[in-house]
Amino acid sequence: MTTGVADFNRTESDRLNEVKGHLEIALLEKHFLQEELRKLREETNIEILKQELEKERQKRVELEQKFNEVVKTRTDESATTQISKGQPQTNGADKQRSKTMCSKVQKWFYDRFGEYIEDFRFQPEESSVEAEEPLSARRLTENMRRLKRGAKPVTNFVKNLSALSDWHSVYTSAIAFIMYMNAVWHGWAIPMFLFLAILRLSLNYLIARGWRIQWSIVPQVSETIELPKEDLTVSEKFQLVLDVAQKAQNLFGKMADILEKIKNLFMWVQPEITQKLYVCLWAAFIASCFFPYKLIGFCIGLYAGIKFFLIDFIFKRCPRLRAKYDTPYIIWTNLPTDPQLKERTNATVSRRIQTVSSRGNVTSTTPQGVIREEEGGRYHNTKKSSFHEVFNLAETERPLPVCDTGWRCCLINRDRKMPTDYIRNGILYVTENYLCFESSKSGSSKRNKVIKLTDITDIQKYKVLSVLPGSGMGIAVSTPSTQKPLVFGAMVHRDEAFETIFSQYVKVTSTVTNSDT
């Protein structure tokens, strides 16, 4: 009887939230089924067969045209020979000799230079459209591994250079510094680099021949090679695609940051920084007009050696000194990216005040003891149970004013195997010391999640699926207790939630570090 009364007392908003959560899970299952259907279509390869058939038809037409041209030339030659035989012998001797001489000269010229003449014959450019390869989880992981293997020599080279600059091996760095400065002093810097390139190619040739030669300042660690699985379940494929997409997202984000900083440097987005580059370019131009190039090269090489081996070593050991006097580092760190420029232009403080005031107006219109979320359509009954009782926290722990109503989202715990296990719908709150997730299912306090802010190791913006609410925007939170980051996805106000969580996280961690020191 009591359970029936409790079910009757559930509000319509709670039921709508549960239905919304089931719809989100259904969207994910639909995405999995679409992947399976796409894989079945890949096996047919109808489009590829059509393209190959069209190419074969074009080849057959070209061969027929060439065959007709050969037959026509042979018939013309036979006709000319018959005409020459029918002529009277009175005119024949001289004319026949001249024709035979001309034909011999033409044949000799064509045999000698005909191939080169054919190379200069203009032909219409063939527009071949490459068939795009359909999405495949196995192919995606294979391409990521190929990219990692291809970039390994470059990363090893960068690691060795940084080890030289950090004086990881004192003897190696000292020898390299003495050899470089001696080469710059005598004007042998370019021959030295060319000799090192030749030496590296020679070592690579010996390694390709089977010699075991390995020289590296930093000791290389052998990585475990994961063999690809043949048969993967739908959840494993989905998890695999999420992992690879996260790595690609972070890689593309770093590349975009570098390109945007370079673009903003040359577009005078930060005038005081671009002004320094402008003055340096003018100084270099004037010096190149009045000083000999040998002296300029000597000065540049000398500065590069001292900067690489000595100044960078001191700056890396003394961060405060680097933040004050390392001009290239200061310029690069102060260069803004496009998202940072957008955040600067937006009046974040005024927007937060407006959102808080609008939420206060909404809460004032709702009944007493009931809090309504701005767009989630969820009512939280404070008379039923207080906030600290729901999450078993101290009474002082209350949601911050910015997130008093919380943010509706779905918690994706990727350590679980089945989608029905690792997807939960609910509300996310931030207190002074905790990150709290309340499951939307009534009476399921065990499904709630409480994360201490000091236990968080990393916070990043994340995108799950664009078909989910909020365009799939979410937040990934890493903790020592989880192997993979917890994702709070399908958030409508993702940027606002990220700024609030990150600022509170920085505030708490800074106070902890200050108290420890």
Side-chain angles (χ1 to χ4, degrees):
M1 185 67 182
T2 56
T3 56
V5 173
D7 293 335
F8 180 76
N9 290 331
R10 291 173 59 188
T11 59
E12 293 182 0
S13 61
D14 294 333
R15 295 176 183 175
L16 288 175
N17 288 331
E18 290 184 2
V19 172
K20 193 172 182 180
H22 290 301
L23 286 175
E24 292 174 358
I25 296 173
L27 285 173
L28 290 175
E29 292 178 353
K30 180 183 177 181
H31 180 73
F32 299 150
L33 293 176
Q34 287 178 351
E35 291 294 331
E36 293 293 334
L37 181 61
R38 190 180 299 171
K39 184 177 180 181
L40 292 175
R41 289 178 180 175
E42 291 174 7
E43 296 176 356
T44 57
N45 293 328
I46 297 174
E47 298 295 332
I48 298 174
L49 292 175
K50 286 182 180 180
Q51 292 178 0
E52 292 181 355
L53 181 61
E54 188 66 26
K55 289 180 181 179
E56 293 295 332
R57 288 177 181 175
Q58 292 178 359
K59 289 181 180 179
R60 182 177 63 82
V61 173
E62 292 177 357
L63 290 174
E64 289 179 355
Q65 292 178 356
K66 290 182 180 179
F67 179 75
N68 293 329
E69 290 177 357
V70 172
V71 171
K72 186 176 180 180
T73 53
R74 288 185 178 181
T75 53
D76 294 339
E77 289 177 359
S78 61
T80 53
T81 53
Q82 289 177 1
I83 292 170
S84 62
K85 287 181 180 180
Q87 290 179 351
Q89 295 181 357
T90 57
N91 301 329
D94 296 334
K95 292 183 178 180
Q96 188 173 2
R97 289 176 183 175
S98 62
K99 288 182 179 179
T100 53
M101 287 295 294
C102 290
S103 62
K104 286 181 180 179
V105 171
Q106 289 178 358
K107 185 178 179 181
W108 177 83
F109 186 79
Y110 184 78
D111 292 338
R112 288 280 184 177
F113 305 101
E115 183 178 358
Y116 303 103
I117 295 172
E118 291 292 332
D119 293 338
F120 286 95
R121 180 176 292 179
F122 293 104
Q123 294 180 357
E125 186 178 357
E126 296 180 358
S127 59
S128 59
V129 180
E130 296 183 359
E132 293 185 358
E133 190 174 356
L135 181 62
S136 174
R138 184 180 301 173
R139 188 67 175 172
L140 187 60
T141 53
E142 182 182 353
N143 290 338
M144 288 297 294
R145 288 169 183 164
R146 287 173 55 195
L147 179 63
K148 188 176 181 180
R149 290 194 299 267
K152 190 175 181 180
V154 180
T155 54
N156 291 337
F157 177 72
V158 174
K159 287 180 181 178
N160 288 327
L161 282 181
S162 62
L164 276 177
S165 178
D166 294 339
W167 293 74
H168 185 271
S169 175
V170 179
Y171 298 105
T172 306
S173 298
I175 293 171
F177 177 69
I178 293 170
M179 290 177 61
Y180 176 81
M181 297 304 289
N182 188 25
V184 170
W185 183 264
H186 292 89
W188 298 340
I190 295 176
M192 182 190 68
F193 288 122
L194 294 176
F195 175 75
L196 290 176
I198 295 170
L199 180 62
R200 182 72 260 183
L201 286 177
S202 303
L203 292 176
N204 291 339
Y205 174 78
L206 295 177
I207 292 171
R209 287 292 181 180
W211 290 44
R212 293 185 178 180
I213 300 173
Q214 184 176 1
W215 179 82
S216 177
I217 302 174
V218 181
Q220 297 181 358
V221 180
S222 59
E223 299 179 355
T224 57
I225 301 175
E226 297 181 0
L227 297 176
K229 296 181 181 179
E230 296 295 334
D231 297 328
L232 297 175
T233 61
V234 176
S235 61
E236 289 177 346
K237 288 181 180 178
F238 180 67
Q239 183 63 40
L240 188 62
V241 171
L242 284 180
D243 293 338
V244 176
Q246 184 181 8
K247 293 179 181 178
Q249 171 187 323
N250 297 333
L251 178 62
F252 292 154
K254 293 178 181 178
M255 294 173 63
D257 289 342
I258 294 172
L259 295 176
E260 286 174 357
K261 285 188 174 185
I262 295 173
K263 180 200 70 173
N264 294 332
L265 174 64
F266 287 95
M267 293 303 295
W268 292 85
V269 175
Q270 200 85 5
E272 60 273 10
I273 295 178
T274 311
Q275 186 178 2
K276 296 179 181 178
L277 176 65
Y278 190 72
V279 172
C280 291
L281 290 176
W282 270 110
F285 172 72
I286 295 171
S288 64
C289 293
F290 292 99
F291 296 102
Y293 288 103
K294 186 176 181 181
L295 179 61
I296 295 173
F298 171 75
C299 295
I300 293 174
L302 192 66
Y303 170 75
I306 297 173
K307 177 80 166 61
F308 181 79
F309 285 99
L310 300 179
I311 298 177
D312 286 346
F313 174 76
I314 296 172
F315 281 156
K316 288 179 182 179
R317 295 296 184 274
C318 305
R320 293 184 179 179
L321 196 65
R322 185 177 191 179
K324 291 181 179 179
Y325 302 107
D326 192 358
T327 305
Y329 174 77
I330 295 170
I331 291 175
W332 184 255
T333 52
N334 291 332
L335 277 173
T337 59
D338 289 349
Q340 291 175 352
L341 289 174
K342 190 179 292 185
E343 290 178 0
R344 290 180 184 179
T345 54
N346 295 331
T348 55
V349 178
S350 61
R351 182 176 57 82
R352 286 182 181 180
I353 294 172
Q354 291 177 0
T355 53
V356 171
S357 61
S358 62
R359 287 177 180 176
N361 294 331
V362 171
T363 53
S364 63
T365 56
T366 55
Q368 186 177 2
V370 178
I371 298 175
R372 184 185 185 276
E373 188 188 19
E374 183 178 354
E375 294 185 9
R378 177 185 182 275
Y379 289 90
H380 180 73
N381 194 349
T382 55
K383 291 182 178 179
K384 184 178 178 180
S385 60
S386 58
F387 182 83
H388 68 277
E389 292 178 355
V390 173
F391 297 102
N392 295 325
L393 298 174
E395 295 183 359
T396 56
E397 294 292 337
R398 298 293 299 171
L400 298 178
V402 180
C403 63
D404 193 13
T405 56
W407 299 285
R408 177 172 174 76
C409 63
C410 64
L411 173 60
I412 301 176
N413 189 356
R414 297 189 295 169
D415 291 339
R416 304 294 179 88
K417 299 298 180 183
M418 297 301 294
T420 55
D421 294 336
Y422 65 69
I423 297 177
R424 305 178 192 174
N425 293 282
I427 308 295
L428 182 64
Y429 299 95
V430 183
T431 66
E432 292 183 357
N433 300 305
Y434 293 94
L435 187 65
C436 305
F437 175 80
E438 182 182 3
S439 179
S440 61
K441 290 188 177 182
S442 60
S444 58
S445 59
K446 293 182 179 180
R447 299 174 64 88
N448 297 339
K449 190 73 176 177
V450 178
I451 304 172
K452 198 171 182 180
L453 292 178
T454 54
D455 294 338
I456 296 175
T457 57
D458 188 19
I459 301 176
Q460 291 183 358
K461 293 183 180 180
Y462 195 83
K463 186 171 183 179
V464 187
L465 287 174
S466 59
V467 297
L468 295 177
S471 300
M473 296 298 180
I475 300 172
V477 177
S478 301
T479 58
S481 60
T482 56
Q483 295 180 357
K484 297 178 181 178
L486 297 173
V487 178
F488 298 96
M491 300 183 71
V492 179
H493 303 287
R494 194 276 302 272
D495 294 336
E496 179 185 356
F498 180 80
E499 290 176 3
T500 306
I501 296 171
F502 188 75
S503 61
Q504 187 65 22
Y505 168 72
V506 172
K507 181 180 177 182
V508 171
T509 52
S510 61
T511 54
V512 171
T513 53
N514 291 331
S515 62
D516 292 340
T517 54

